[in-house]
């Protein structure tokens, strides 16, 4: 991060102290003092103390440098959204150097937040105030490459998601088709079982009927046989009766002497 350091020398500081008659000069000196103290603590990475000094310096007036350096302090504490606010406040400065650095560090902060399109715009704005800012040029190229890579990754992810959705839909269709086939097979089997059961039931009825008919036939055969025997017996008795009568009327043959 680039910070603005107060450039007041010891001699100028002594001179300014002599001008303490006016409140405006006193306030200006106080703001610069706070800025220098903030810079000292910033370089020591005592960011919490530096933050306090820069905030107090910004309260002394609309100082773009104070807001800018405060943004750097917040950035190093990974408080990126707050840092963005301070950089944007620094953009109210009329100093082109402050504007260049504020836009540049806005680009860095947006880059850190993965807001690459905003980062690219910020680097472009930094170059408008200093076309020779090589850091802004390098970071602009890097942000563009990262954005292109991000877009490619998003496209790949979308394609993968689409392929996965298609596969899931295909699997679902196959599962539904399989379930439908199983259901059809089950229904066919149930129908076959019903038909087989009906056939067996019908066959059983026919067998019972045949058995009943055979039983009736046997009964009839027995009855016919009994009647036939009776007829035979009767006929035999008649024959024997005739024979007896015939024998009774027959005279013995005469004997020749």
């Amino acid at each position: 991060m680039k910070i603005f350091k107060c450039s007041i020398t010891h001699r100028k500081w002594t001179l300014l102290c002599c001008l303490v008659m006016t409140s405006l000069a006193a306030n200006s000196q106080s703001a610069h003092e706070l800025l220098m103290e903030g810079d000292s603590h910033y370089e020591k990475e005592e960011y919490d103390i530096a933050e306090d000094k820069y905030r107090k310096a910004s309260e002394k007036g609309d100082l773009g440098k104070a807001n800018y350096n405060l943004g750097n302090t917040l950035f190093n504490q990974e408080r990126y959204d707050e840092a963005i606010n301070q950089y944007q406040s620094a953009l109210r400065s009329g100093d082109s150097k402050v504007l260049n650095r504020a836009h540049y560090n806005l680009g860095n902060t947006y880059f850190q937040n993965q807001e690459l399109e905003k980062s690219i715009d910020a680097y472009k704005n930094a170059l408008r105030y200093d076309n020779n800012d090589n850091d802004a040029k390098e970071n602009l190229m890097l942000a563009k490459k990262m954005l292109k890579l991000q877009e490619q990754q998003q496209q790949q992810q979308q394609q993968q998601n689409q392929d996965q959705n298609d596969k899931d839909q295909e699997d679902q269709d196959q599962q539904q088709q399989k379930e439908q086939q199983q259901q059809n097979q089950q229904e066919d089997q149930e129908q076959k079982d019903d038909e087989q059961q009906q056939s067996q039931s019908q066959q059983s009825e026919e067998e019972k009927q045949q058995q009943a008919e055979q039983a009736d036939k046997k009964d009839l055969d027995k009855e016919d046989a009994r009647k036939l025997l009776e007829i035979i017996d009767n006929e035999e008795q008649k024959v024997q009766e005739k024979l007896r009568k015939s024998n009774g009327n027959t005279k013995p043959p005469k004997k020749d002497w």
Side-chain angles (χ1 to χ4, degrees):
M1 281 292 177
K2 305 173 182 177
I3 68 168
F4 282 101
K5 294 183 179 180
C6 186
S7 60
I8 298 176
T9 63
H10 178 70
R11 182 177 296 179
K12 289 181 178 180
W13 178 251
T14 302
L15 179 61
L16 288 173
C17 288
C18 295
L19 301 177
V20 71
M21 295 179 181
T22 63
S23 60
L24 180 60
N27 287 335
S28 177
Q29 290 172 6
S30 178
H32 282 294
E33 182 181 8
L34 290 168
L35 278 173
M36 287 189 295
E37 291 179 359
D39 293 345
S40 177
H41 290 293
Y42 183 92
E43 291 178 353
K44 296 177 183 178
E45 297 185 359
E46 298 172 344
Y47 298 125
D48 54 342
I49 301 176
E51 177 186 347
D52 180 65
K53 298 300 181 181
Y54 291 140
R55 287 189 185 278
K56 289 180 179 179
S58 66
E59 291 173 359
K60 297 297 181 179
D62 185 12
L63 300 176
K65 294 179 181 180
N67 294 122
Y68 173 83
N69 285 356
L70 178 57
N72 291 344
T73 304
L74 294 169
F75 182 94
N76 284 301
Q77 297 178 77
E78 298 183 358
R79 293 156 62 184
Y80 301 120
D81 291 338
E82 295 179 65
I84 289 173
N85 291 334
Q86 293 302 321
Y87 292 138
Q88 289 174 340
S89 296
L91 295 177
R92 293 178 294 180
S93 173
D95 188 336
S96 61
K97 192 172 184 180
V98 173
L99 293 172
N100 163 258
R101 294 190 176 184
H103 280 299
Y104 174 81
N105 282 355
L106 265 175
N108 291 343
T109 310
Y110 285 130
F111 189 94
Q112 188 68 29
N113 279 348
Q114 296 297 313
E115 299 176 271
L116 297 178
E117 292 181 354
K118 291 183 179 180
S119 177
I120 291 171
D121 291 338
Y123 291 135
K124 288 180 179 178
N125 288 329
L127 290 171
R128 288 191 180 99
Y129 291 99
D130 184 1
N131 191 40
N132 295 320
D133 188 342
N134 291 327
D135 291 337
K137 290 178 181 179
E138 291 178 2
N139 286 6
L140 176 60
M141 293 177 61
L142 177 61
K144 287 182 176 180
K145 289 180 180 179
M146 291 293 294
L147 180 61
K148 185 176 181 180
L149 179 61
Q150 187 182 77
E151 290 174 347
Q152 290 176 348
Q153 290 176 343
Q154 289 176 350
Q155 291 176 355
Q156 290 177 355
Q157 185 63 41
Q158 290 175 354
Q159 185 62 43
Q160 289 177 358
N161 292 339
Q162 183 62 42
D163 293 342
Q164 184 63 41
N165 291 336
D166 293 341
K167 185 178 182 302
D168 292 342
Q169 184 63 43
E170 183 179 356
D171 292 342
Q172 184 178 359
D173 292 341
Q174 289 179 352
Q175 182 64 26
Q176 290 178 350
Q177 184 177 3
K178 182 178 179 180
E179 291 176 355
Q180 185 63 41
Q181 289 177 349
Q182 291 177 347
Q183 184 177 356
N184 293 339
Q185 290 176 354
Q186 183 177 0
E187 291 177 354
D188 292 341
Q189 185 62 41
E190 290 177 353
Q191 183 176 0
K192 290 180 180 178
D193 292 341
D194 291 341
E195 291 176 353
Q196 184 177 3
Q197 186 176 3
Q198 291 178 359
S199 176
Q200 291 176 349
S201 177
Q202 183 177 0
Q203 183 178 0
S204 178
E205 290 295 330
E206 290 177 354
E207 289 177 352
K208 289 181 180 179
Q209 185 175 359
Q210 289 177 357
Q211 291 175 357
E213 290 177 354
Q214 290 176 358
D216 292 341
K217 184 176 181 181
K218 287 181 180 180
D219 292 340
L220 290 174
D221 291 342
K222 290 180 179 180
E223 181 66 22
D224 291 340
R226 185 183 63 79
K227 290 181 179 180
L228 181 59
L229 288 173
E230 289 181 354
I231 293 172
I232 292 172
D233 290 340
N234 291 334
E235 290 297 326
E236 186 177 357
Q237 289 178 1
K238 289 180 180 179
V239 171
Q240 291 178 357
E241 182 67 27
K242 287 180 179 180
L243 288 174
R244 283 196 300 268
K245 290 181 178 181
S246 175
N247 292 330
N249 295 327
T250 302
K251 293 181 179 180
K254 292 181 179 180
K255 184 176 180 181
D256 294 331
W257 298 96

